[in-house]
Amino acid sequence: RRAPGAPRMPPPRRAEEPARAAPATLDWAPAPTGPRAARFTTADGLVIHGDYHVLKPALPCPGAAILLHGNESDRRCWEPLLPALKARNLAVLAIDVRCHGASTEWERALRAPLTRDDIPTQTSEMPRDVAAAVAFLEKDGFAAERIALVGSSVGGGVALQYACRNPRIPCVAALSPQR
């Protein structure tokens, strides 16, 4: 018997009665609204910077795209295209190729800014930047066969150069490619 005013206790559970399951929880967190900073090193020791736009984990992912800007530009030039790529749940890695944007640390180390005469030499080395970007995405679980390259101007030429030497890359979109 319970004393007057005492709270009522639930009846004891019988041994054969199963315990109630805990409420279901999500096993993933929603993707952040902005990109993650990406930073990786090329085979010749340059640090490349980029923005890695993370997927929504609950949706299937068809692949990833590496975005390569044109001369005298940087990764921000792709911002108008990002909503369309993200709507298709593609992982997107927009990078600053060597000598552009945030990928100019070695310039400061040399204490010598680039001149127009240096651009052809650096352009021929830009496929190394793409190789490092592909390796970055491979470490995140993307096979090269699921990575597309998208480039404008010089970036389009670099994308074509890299894909010609690496047949595992299935798709290249080159907008006004330059050599």
Side-chain angles (χ1 to χ4, degrees):
R1 293 201 141 232
R2 92 183 142 95
R8 184 175 176 157
M9 301 297 287
R13 193 165 35 109
R14 293 186 210 135
E16 67 275 341
E17 189 177 312
R20 291 190 179 127
T25 59
L26 296 175
D27 60 352
W28 56 273
T33 55
R36 284 189 340 215
R39 185 180 150 131
F40 43 89
T41 305
T42 63
D44 57 346
L46 298 181
V47 176
I48 301 298
H49 295 263
D51 291 331
Y52 185 36
H53 298 267
V54 184
L55 304 169
K56 299 171 191 148
L59 301 175
C61 173
I66 297 172
L67 308 182
L68 305 165
H69 59 79
N71 194 29
E72 297 183 16
S73 187
D74 63 23
R75 64 186 183 243
R76 294 174 297 172
C77 75
W78 295 107
E79 288 174 359
L81 182 64
L82 290 175
L85 296 173
K86 290 163 97 176
R88 287 160 181 79
N89 209 39
L90 287 169
V92 177
L93 178 60
I95 67 170
D96 286 338
V97 294
R98 63 185 61 216
C99 310
H100 295 81
S103 299
T104 56
E105 291 176 359
W106 64 279
E107 264 187 62
R108 287 192 292 274
L110 294 174
R111 299 194 195 311
L114 286 176
T115 66
R116 284 206 170 270
D117 296 336
D118 297 320
I119 291 172
T121 303
Q122 293 309 314
T123 301
S124 66
E125 299 299 322
M126 286 179 187
R128 293 180 186 211
D129 305 352
V130 179
V134 169
F136 175 86
L137 288 174
E138 286 180 320
K139 286 180 187 171
D140 205 38
F142 290 97
E145 292 82 4
R146 293 181 51 222
I147 298 173
L149 303 179
V150 180
S152 70
S153 184
V154 171
V158 171
L160 290 168
Q161 285 177 36
Y162 183 82
C164 285
R165 295 181 189 137
N166 297 278
R168 291 177 53 211
I169 299 295
C171 179
V172 174
L175 311 171
S176 294
Q178 294 180 359
R179 201 168 184 244

